[in-house]
Amino acid sequence: MTASPRVWLVTGSSTGIGRALVTELLARGESVAATARDPRTLADLRPSGAGTLWTARLDVTDPERIRQVVDAAARALGRLDVVVSNAGYALVGAAEEASGEQVDRQIRTNLTGPIHLARAVLPYLRAQGGGRIVQVSSMAGQRGSPGTAVYCATKWGVEGFFESLAAEVKGFGIGVTIVEPGTVSTGFFGRSKELTTASPGYAGTPAAILRRRAQDGRLPCRGDLAKMAAAVVDVATGPTAPLRLALGSDAYASIRRGLTARLADLEDQRELAFSTDLNAGDGSTPSTPHRRPEGNDDAHHRPGARQPR
């Protein structure tokens, strides 16, 4: 990374992890381009020391506005070192209960918005020889749960896109980190949520119970926003950075359970999987190589690779 102050672009800066990140960055004297659908929500933020705060209105469902804001931020602050794609919200309730408009808006905000943002910032990062994209996902990006099907779909999509993108851009010195937070006090079940309309057919189901608890604010949240923000900044500016970063004991436990169950299912299907090969039954013994799939490593983990700024 470049010497401080670096230039950060953070979307969804009005609440939750986005606001905590901007607060942490300004306290460290960094330069920040903070965006929100209503920039007035950022009026009380103040830069510290050598840092700079630049704000703009941005609704990430508008691809043209994304490009305009990225271009304006780069002009105003001179460069972009770290781009944090954080804007998003949770649609809570059974998938069948959601309206078509709710489904489309969730996807435009949580999935296609981050894709358009990455496409808009990449020309700047490539031209300057490096940088980092930090995509805020969720523990729901690794393990589905009833009552959050549409939300989980967007987060699983984000995970697939940015894992693939990491392999595409590592040769340019650009790093990618996917952040997977657990529950936080003003995030998933705070103001950044939308509820489906309850259907009698789902009364008493896990999806209905989750929606009711989210509506009443009766779900415990373990994550500390300030600690999470500090961890993201430390990791994004450190000498190495992982492709994925889990934050919170609940995120760690949930992701671990999900991965363990998926791996067990896969191992149970090993014989059937190999039996469908073109050469199945020719007497050869199937082999199971134990190596990381191509494209999953970050530039930091490859000797001789260019290091993101």
Side-chain angles (χ1 to χ4, degrees):
M1 308 295 290
T2 59
S4 292
R6 304 168 188 84
V7 178
W8 299 66
L9 171 64
V10 183
T11 68
S13 300
S14 61
T15 61
I17 291 177
R19 187 176 182 88
L21 271 170
V22 174
T23 301
E24 177 71 17
L25 291 168
L26 293 178
R28 297 192 188 196
E30 301 282 72
S31 294
V32 185
T35 75
R37 284 182 297 175
D38 182 359
R40 291 174 297 181
T41 60
L42 310 176
D44 59 327
L45 294 170
R46 295 287 183 274
S48 174
T52 302
L53 176 63
W54 181 90
T55 63
R57 176 187 61 80
L58 177 60
D59 182 340
V60 295
T61 65
D62 183 346
E64 181 57 32
R65 180 62 181 166
I66 289 174
R67 291 194 177 275
Q68 292 172 356
V69 169
V70 167
D71 292 345
R75 286 196 303 269
L77 300 177
R79 60 184 293 119
L80 298 172
D81 294 305
V82 186
V83 177
V84 183
S85 175
N86 169 72
Y89 70 98
L91 177 62
V92 185
E96 186 182 349
E97 295 174 334
S99 69
E101 182 184 353
Q102 285 180 316
V103 172
D104 290 345
R105 184 166 60 250
Q106 178 86 120
I107 292 171
R108 290 198 308 271
T109 303
N110 288 12
L111 178 55
T112 56
I115 291 173
H116 287 305
L117 177 64
R119 285 164 40 80
V121 301
L122 280 172
Y124 290 98
L125 302 184
R126 283 192 299 102
Q128 68 196 27
R132 179 161 295 278
I133 297 174
V134 177
Q135 174 60 49
V136 178
S137 177
S138 166
M139 62 182 181
Q142 289 284 352
R143 189 178 185 218
S145 62
T148 58
V150 181
Y151 175 77
C152 288
T154 64
K155 293 305 183 181
W156 283 60
V158 153
E159 298 261 348
F161 176 82
F162 282 93
E163 179 176 307
S164 302
L165 184 70
E168 292 181 359
V169 301
K170 63 185 179 184
F172 301 115
I174 302 169
V176 174
T177 296
I178 304 167
V179 180
E180 298 167 335
T183 54
V184 290
S185 59
T186 60
F188 182 45
F189 292 114
R191 289 190 293 168
S192 300
K193 72 171 184 294
E194 182 178 354
L195 304 177
T196 62
T197 300
S199 167
Y202 282 87
T205 65
I209 292 170
L210 179 69
R211 185 189 57 249
R212 187 169 61 251
R213 289 178 176 174
Q215 185 174 19
D216 297 342
R218 292 187 289 113
L219 284 168
C221 296
R222 297 186 183 180
D224 183 307
L225 282 173
K227 290 179 181 178
M228 286 185 175
V232 170
V233 176
D234 289 343
V235 168
T237 57
T240 61
L243 176 61
R244 286 181 170 84
L245 175 66
L247 297 176
S249 60
D250 54 348
Y252 176 86
S254 178
I255 293 170
R256 190 176 191 279
R257 283 195 300 269
L259 292 175
T260 301
R262 285 158 60 191
L263 182 58
D265 284 346
L266 179 63
E267 291 301 329
D268 287 344
Q269 299 165 26
R270 180 177 183 275
E271 223 176 290
L272 176 60
F274 280 101
S275 74
T276 61
D277 285 356
L278 284 172
N279 63 350
D282 64 0
S284 61
T285 302
S287 60
T288 307
H290 294 283
R291 64 182 181 83
R292 297 180 67 184
E294 245 183 82
N296 283 359
D297 56 334
D298 199 333
H300 292 296
H301 301 298
R302 302 182 68 242
R306 295 176 63 189
Q307 301 296 307
R309 289 176 179 268

